[in-house]
Amino acid sequence: MSLLVTGGAGFIGSNFVLDWIATTGEAVVNLDALTYAGNLRNLASLQGDARHVFVQGDICDRALIDRLLAEHRPRAIVHFAAESHVDRSIHGPGAFVRTNVEGTFALLEAARAHWSGLGGAEKDAFRFHHVSTDEVYGSLAPEAPAFTETHAYEPNSPYSASKAASDHLVRAWHHTYGLPVVTTNCSNNYGPYHFPEKLIPLMIVNALAGKPLPVYGDGRQIRDWLYVTDHCSAIRAVLERGRLGETYNIGGWNEQANIDIVRLVCALLDELQPDPAGPYQRLITYVTDRPGHDRRYAIDARKIERELGWRPAETFETGIRKTVEWYLAHTDWVREVQSGSYRDWVAQNYAARTPGSA
Ligand code: NAD
Ligand code: DAU
């Protein structure tokens, strides 16, 4: 038995592959294009392990997916592969439409052809698990109730619009063709192997390098943070016991304003690796806001708890400390991902943001 995982060299995908093999012992075929966000170093501990088969390739390549499905006959597809960074989607939306919409379409069509040819127990057991985001629901007012699975889709960025489109395709392939799908919409993840273009790892690596900590707008935007291994355990629960055609929201019951997160990261670094030049908070710099910036996300995770008994295991206090410690212990990993293309991206995204005040 095996799973076909897409995007398994990225942040959440690699955590999932490591967690899946450690927890279940079941093999994974890992299809990843190794874009700037994919990193085989994340999977170094699986080198030589026959339960991990890595294939470098594109989810838009229908012939490749057909071949992988025929060769490995996975019992499920877990689909992480995506362009995932909102700021990049503002600078270059085309790649988001291609991978997130066209790629999901290619995968769905390949899955449908494969599943239609199966019989008996193999057909009944097959699953297509689509990994999506809470950003498809848009932005919440300060006192509004958290997103439930029936909240209207109101995506506001090219990234969230492309993910919303992919969610709709997945839903339609179930209703029209009967493809056995489940979709999960998760809040912001953090933890090991998080690429330092995203808030938490960016703040850690910039602080350690003595660089400014760029806080967009007034820094009062709210996200609901979940430690990445809790996302992995939620996906396992939905894959095993989720009802077909259903969507499940996954979140940490942990709403935090960005500026509070940045201050907490600074305080942890002050404790774990003090800077002789002074407290890290001195580096906080308010900069021009992200266009169309969603103000607040919050997940109502009662459905997955009620139906599948899932709750996050990690608290924010334990998770953020583990995360900061992981980055302090993996300076080689950080150095390697900060390649020329990373530096180009930082220049492109931050050069035009003028410093301001909250
Ligand atoms: P990531 O950017 O770290 O990783 C994406 C991976 O997909 C990379 O390894 C990349 O090489 C691969 N990839 C990109 N285009 C590809 C293509 N055309 N073909 C094959 N592989 C391709 O992303 P992430 O943060 O790990 O997110 C994974 C999934 O989870 C995404 O679908 C994202 O929308 C969703 N999600 C992320 C978060 C979060 O907080 N990071 C929260 C909720 C949902
Ligand atoms: O909610 C789930 C989503 O979380 C996922 O679907 C996305 O793939 C993932 O990237 C993440 O999106 P966000 O836009 O919320 O994450 P990001 O880390 O880019 O930003 C978090 C918040 O921090 C957001 O309000 C913007 C702000 N921010 C971000 C950066 C990179 C800053 O203030 N400064 C920064 O330099």
Side-chain angles (χ1 to χ4, degrees):
M1 297 231 287
S2 66
L3 293 188
L4 173 62
V5 168
T6 71
F11 163 47
I12 305 173
S14 60
N15 275 285
F16 178 81
V17 169
L18 294 169
D19 178 81
W20 179 265
I21 291 176
T23 312
T24 69
E26 194 176 333
V28 169
V29 179
N30 183 353
L31 172 63
D32 195 298
L34 295 182
T35 68
Y36 79 92
N39 186 354
L40 282 180
R41 263 190 89 143
N42 303 2
L43 301 158
S45 61
L46 293 174
Q47 226 163 22
D49 190 325
R51 294 171 300 179
H52 180 232
V53 177
F54 182 77
V55 180
Q56 183 171 2
D58 193 323
I59 56 164
C60 298
D61 182 347
R62 174 68 198 275
L64 171 63
I65 305 164
D66 286 344
R67 183 168 66 67
L68 292 176
L69 290 172
E71 199 176 309
H72 297 280
R73 300 179 77 82
R75 69 179 178 95
I77 298 173
V78 185
H79 176 33
F80 293 95
E83 289 292 338
S84 69
H85 189 33
V86 173
D87 292 320
R88 286 188 193 252
S89 81
I90 295 165
H91 287 273
F96 288 71
V97 173
R98 182 181 179 276
T99 287
N100 301 0
V101 185
E102 293 173 24
T104 302
F105 167 68
L107 208 56
L108 282 167
E109 280 294 80
R112 180 164 77 94
H114 173 72
W115 171 75
S116 303
L118 298 177
E122 207 182 357
K123 187 168 191 175
D124 292 344
F126 189 80
R127 294 287 180 275
F128 185 103
H129 186 134
H130 179 54
V131 179
S132 193
T133 170
D134 59 359
E135 299 205 11
V136 298
Y137 300 124
S139 189
L140 285 169
E143 303 303 327
F147 300 129
T148 63
E149 289 77 2
T150 54
H151 196 283
Y153 269 41
E154 291 173 343
N156 291 319
S157 72
Y159 163 69
S160 54
S162 67
K163 290 296 291 188
S166 68
D167 291 9
H168 292 323
L169 291 178
V170 171
R171 176 189 161 88
W173 260 239
H174 175 69
H175 281 265
T176 303
Y177 305 114
L179 190 70
V181 309
V182 281
T183 294
T184 46
N185 293 88
C186 188
S187 63
N188 286 64
N189 286 213
Y190 69 101
Y193 307 117
H194 205 180
F195 194 76
E197 63 184 355
K198 310 280 170 63
L199 180 74
I200 290 179
L202 181 83
M203 296 299 149
I204 299 171
V205 306
N206 276 17
L208 291 173
K211 291 182 179 163
L213 307 180
V215 173
Y216 296 167
D218 65 1
R220 302 303 318 168
Q221 302 82 6
I222 288 172
R223 300 289 183 265
D224 176 351
W225 294 91
L226 180 72
Y227 194 67
V228 63
T229 50
D230 278 325
H231 190 183
C232 297
S233 69
I235 292 172
R236 272 193 274 114
V238 172
L239 196 55
E240 282 159 22
R241 309 189 294 283
R243 287 186 292 134
L244 291 186
E246 290 290 316
T247 65
Y248 292 89
N249 282 356
I250 304 169
W253 299 107
N254 176 40
E255 290 183 55
Q256 304 276 348
N258 294 339
I259 187 63
D260 296 334
I261 300 247
V262 176
R263 289 198 181 116
L264 181 57
V265 165
C266 288
L268 283 165
L269 287 172
D270 286 337
E271 176 196 327
L272 297 167
Q273 192 158 306
D275 183 346
Y280 288 101
Q281 284 202 27
R282 75 185 193 285
L283 299 170
I284 292 175
T285 310
Y286 290 93
V287 298
T288 314
D289 208 349
R290 172 186 280 174
H293 200 169
D294 285 337
R295 196 70 186 162
R296 174 178 167 236
Y297 304 142
I299 281 281
D300 181 333
R302 281 179 298 178
K303 179 177 173 182
I304 188 171
E305 179 169 5
R306 193 175 58 245
E307 291 193 12
L308 309 179
W310 177 88
R311 266 191 79 84
E314 206 72 51
T315 66
F316 192 58
E317 289 67 33
T318 57
I320 192 74
R321 179 175 285 274
K322 274 191 198 175
T323 303
V324 172
E325 286 172 347
W326 187 90
Y327 281 87
L328 287 173
H330 292 82
T331 48
D332 284 358
W333 183 92
V334 171
R335 206 171 307 117
E336 189 174 281
V337 300
Q338 291 178 314
S339 64
S341 70
Y342 176 79
R343 288 195 293 275
D344 293 345
W345 161 251
V346 170
Q348 187 186 8
N349 190 42
Y350 295 97
R353 291 181 195 271
T354 47
S357 55

